Amino acid sequence: MGISRGKQENCSPSSAKVEKKGKFLALDLGGTNFRVILLELDSSLELNCQVKYYTVPESLRLGEGELLFDFLAECIESFLKDNNLLGQKLPLGFCFSFPMDQTGIDEGILVTWTKSFNCPNVVGHEVVKILKNALEKRKDVAIDVVAIINDTTGTMMMGSYLDKRSAIGLILGTGCNASYFEKVERIHKWEGKHEGITEVIIDIEWGAFGDNGILDFMKTEVDKIVDENSLIVNSFTFEKLFSGKYIGEIVKQILLQLIDKNVLFHEVKLKPQNWTFTAADVSHSLEGKDLEKISDILKSKGFLETTLDDAEIVYYVCSVVSVRGSLIVSICLSSLLRRMDKKDVTIAVDGSLFKLHPKYKHYMEKFIAELAPNHKFQLILAEDGSGKGAGLVAAVVTSLDRSKLHA
C-alpha cells in the first residue's frame, strides 16, 4: 500500500500552558486529507509541533474499513521514521471527526460515516481498538492511543490554549459541527458520578440537524437537488445547506437554473457539459468585486465567451449563498451564547471555509452581534486546532488517572 505524501510544516503557537512536558502525537482524520502531528512541550512548557499531511485515496474511503486503518498506521509509521521516533513509546490523541458514541476517553463507537467516507464493517465498532490493531501489525511502532475526541473538542482545546475565554469550538470547513461548555445540572441523561464537576463539553453533532424533516420548510429546490446528488442522501441536512463540501455545488445548481432560463451565459455559444464549482471558486469570486477575475474562473470551467454581466451575476449568487450560510451558522452560535450566558466568550474556529472565505468571518460577527446583542464574544482562528487539540488532550490524559476517565 503506497503512501501519498504531503508537505511537513513547522508550527509554534505561543503563550499557552499545559502541565506536562514531553512529546505527544495526534492523528486527525475527518476528510480526504488527514494529518499526523508531533507536539513537543519544552521545559518552559511552550508548544512546538511538526505537521504532515496525507491523502486518503477514494478506494480506501469507500473500501474495507480494516484497510483504511492499516493505511493510517502505515502513515504514522512513515511519520515516525521521518522524525527518528521509531521504537519510542509515545501517547497519541486521535481526532476522529465522525459521529460516535463515546464510552470513555479512549473509546468511541462509530455511529455513521459522513462526508466522503463510507467504509463497511466499521459502523457500530470501537474505532480505537481497530486503530490499535492496525498499529500492532507494525513492529517498530510503539504508540499508545490514550484519547479519542472529535474535531470540535480538539478546536475547543486549542482555543483554550490560545485564549482562556474559549467556550465554544466550531468546525466550519468541509463539514460543520460545534461543541460548547454545558452545566452538568442540565444534562438529564448523565450516567455515573460527577462530584465536583460543574461543566462538561457537549459535542452537538449539529451537522445532522434536520434529518428528521424539521428543516424541510426552509429547503429550496436547489437544496433538494444537492442532497439527491450527495454520497449519503437524506442525511446531514444542516451542513448540506452551507458547508464547504456543498457550497460550491449550491452555487452551481443556481447557475444551471439561470442558464436554463437564458439569464446567464446566453452569449456563450458552446457551454461545457461537465464542470464543477467549488468552495474555493466561491471564495475567489468574492475577493473584492473583481469581475475580470470571476470571468477568468468561468473561462477555466469552459465558459469561454462570458461577459462582465455574467460575472456580476455569479458574484451576486456567491454572495447570497454565503450570506445565507453564515446567517444559519450564526443563528446557532447566538443560541449557544444565550444558553451559556457567560460574560465573555471566545469562539474558536477551525476549517477551510472560515479560514479562506474572504467575508464569512465578517458576516458571522455582524449576525451574531445582532442575534445575541447582550453577549460579548469574539471569533478566533484555531488553525489545525482539531489535530493540535488532540495532541494537547493526549498531554493532559497522560498526567491523569485514566481509569477514572470512563463513562
Side-chain angles (χ1 to χ4, degrees):
M1 187 184 305
I3 299 174
S4 177
R5 297 180 180 273
K7 63 180 181 179
Q8 181 162 311
E9 298 178 349
N10 296 320
C11 48
S12 54
S14 59
S15 78
K17 299 289 186 291
V18 290
E19 295 181 356
K20 187 176 180 64
K21 66 179 181 178
K23 295 180 180 180
F24 309 91
L25 288 174
L27 171 63
D28 184 7
L29 176 68
T32 302
N33 297 312
F34 75 97
R35 294 167 283 196
V36 180
I37 304 170
L38 171 67
L39 296 95
E40 294 188 67
L41 292 165
D42 60 22
S43 57
S44 62
L45 296 182
E46 291 294 324
L47 176 65
N48 295 282
C49 62
Q50 298 285 336
V51 183
K52 192 159 187 178
Y53 296 79
Y54 299 86
T55 298
V56 186
E58 183 179 41
S59 60
L60 292 178
R61 285 185 277 117
L62 302 177
E64 174 60 46
E66 184 178 349
L67 295 178
L68 170 65
F69 282 84
D70 285 343
F71 175 72
L72 298 179
E74 182 182 1
C75 292
I76 292 173
E77 181 182 48
S78 173
F79 181 85
L80 294 174
K81 182 178 180 180
D82 290 344
N83 288 278
N84 298 314
L85 294 172
L86 283 176
Q88 292 190 33
K89 188 171 183 179
L90 297 172
L92 179 142
F94 184 16
C95 181
F96 185 71
S97 303
F98 303 93
M100 58 182 169
D101 181 9
Q102 189 159 1
T103 55
I105 191 65
D106 58 352
E107 296 176 357
I109 299 171
L110 177 64
V111 175
T112 180
W113 289 109
T114 62
K115 292 165 280 195
S116 58
F117 284 76
N118 197 15
C119 298
N121 302 324
V122 183
V123 173
H125 293 272
E126 204 283 291
V127 294
V128 172
K129 182 178 179 180
I130 301 174
L131 177 61
K132 286 182 176 180
N133 289 340
L135 290 169
E136 287 173 358
K137 297 176 184 178
R138 302 186 173 274
K139 62 179 182 179
D140 293 327
V141 175
I143 299 302
D144 183 15
V145 185
V146 299
I148 184 169
I149 62 173
N150 84 337
D151 47 4
T152 61
T153 304
T155 299
M156 275 191 73
M157 186 70 179
M158 191 62 196
S160 297
Y161 188 91
L162 299 170
D163 186 335
K164 64 181 180 180
R165 297 170 297 177
S166 294
I168 296 176
L170 174 69
I171 296 297
L172 188 53
T174 301
C176 184
N177 188 25
S179 60
Y180 73 105
F181 280 122
E182 178 61 281
K183 293 181 175 62
V184 171
E185 62 194 46
R186 287 178 166 176
I187 306 174
H188 302 299
K189 294 183 178 180
W190 183 286
E191 296 179 0
K193 299 179 181 179
H194 51 80
E195 289 88 349
I197 301 174
T198 59
E199 288 186 326
V200 294
I201 296 175
I202 295 293
D203 166 25
I204 302 173
E205 289 296 343
W206 71 22
F209 178 46
D211 285 4
N212 61 355
I214 198 171
L215 295 181
D216 287 356
F217 76 95
M218 63 179 289
K219 290 174 67 174
T220 67
E221 288 302 314
V222 166
D223 294 319
K224 295 174 184 177
I225 293 171
V226 170
D227 180 38
E228 291 168 359
N229 292 337
S230 66
L231 181 63
I232 307 177
V233 181
N234 296 323
S235 67
F236 289 82
T237 300
F238 185 63
E239 69 180 26
K240 285 178 182 175
L241 298 174
F242 60 86
S243 73
K245 182 173 177 60
Y246 303 101
I247 186 173
E249 181 65 14
I250 293 170
V251 169
K252 177 186 173 179
Q253 292 300 328
I254 295 173
L255 298 183
L256 287 175
Q257 291 189 5
L258 295 176
I259 292 171
D260 288 343
K261 295 177 181 178
N262 203 32
V263 174
L264 183 66
F265 305 149
H266 58 272
E267 293 187 14
V268 177
K269 296 180 178 63
L270 183 63
K271 298 180 177 67
Q273 297 301 309
N274 298 312
W275 56 283
T276 60
F277 208 84
T278 66
D281 294 325
V282 175
S283 295
H284 294 323
S285 296
L286 294 177
E287 291 173 344
K289 194 171 182 180
D290 189 341
L291 300 183
E292 292 288 352
K293 182 176 183 178
I294 296 173
S295 294
D296 289 340
I297 293 173
L298 296 174
K299 288 177 183 177
S300 72
K301 309 296 178 184
F303 297 98
L304 302 179
E305 300 164 310
T306 58
T307 66
L308 292 183
D309 286 340
D310 292 329
E312 180 93 38
I313 291 172
V314 172
Y315 176 85
Y316 179 76
V317 172
C318 290
S319 296
V320 170
V321 171
S322 299
V323 168
R324 185 187 77 150
S326 58
L327 176 58
I328 292 172
V329 176
S330 298
I331 289 170
C332 296
L333 291 172
S334 61
S335 178
L336 290 181
L337 290 175
R338 294 193 302 270
R339 180 177 179 83
M340 291 189 297
D341 197 25
K342 294 179 180 289
K343 290 183 179 180
D344 190 1
V345 171
T346 293
I347 302 171
V349 191
D350 191 14
S352 56
L353 187 58
F354 180 81
K355 177 184 175 182
L356 300 177
H357 194 291
K359 297 188 177 183
Y360 235 83
K361 182 180 180 182
H362 169 72
Y363 290 153
M364 289 171 62
E365 288 173 337
K366 177 178 181 294
F367 289 136
I368 296 171
E370 292 176 353
L371 295 165
N374 299 318
H375 298 271
K376 185 178 179 182
F377 75 95
Q378 44 279 319
L379 300 171
I380 65 168
L381 175 64
E383 191 168 6
D384 287 340
S386 54
K388 294 173 188 174
L392 290 172
V393 169
V396 172
V397 169
T398 55
S399 64
L400 300 175
D401 182 354
R402 289 164 61 183
S403 66
K404 297 179 180 180
L405 297 176
H406 292 260

